[in-house]
Amino acid sequence: MERYIKLLGMILLVGCNSNNSSTNSDDSTTYIRIVSVTPETVVENVLTEFNIEVEYHLAGHAQGEISVGFNDEEEASYRIYIDHVVDAGSGTLGYKLEASPVDYSPHGAFSVYANIAEYPHETTYSPIASDTYDLAVTSSSATGHDDQADLDTVCFTDYGTQCVKY
């Protein structure tokens, strides 16, 4: 019985010492990771330029396609803004993309999404690996941004002064 417990302990130790690195440096594993996104706090419905850094490792395929997008139309669905074909191996890529953030709080988040898939692939495909990066979204009123200030004003004086913003 003691021998069985020692064997079980060794198996657990080996399992615990496996590669738990966040970068997944194992050369046989394909992964993609969103390293950084700036800005991390954005204003709802304001077109924003994002700087996105993505790290990847592609194994088992000669080429892959990296796709990056946002869930700016539906909370659970990502619209792809850019596709980029890469060769097998590792790398870090930077993208500048513009999107209008959506506030899905309190039950969801506006996110950047990245995936890597084999290339070429069918129109409908499943990625090999993917990652998301949640961003903080504030409402325009919370930041002091007044959407009304961007509108033109027309005033009518026929029946007293009445102004309309459009």
Side-chain angles (χ1 to χ4, degrees), residues 135-157:
L135 300 168
V137 179
T138 60
S139 69
S140 58
S141 60
T143 61
H145 178 76
D146 182 8
D147 291 335
Q148 297 295 317
D150 296 333
L151 303 176
D152 292 324
T153 303
V154 174
C155 294
F156 301 94
T157 56

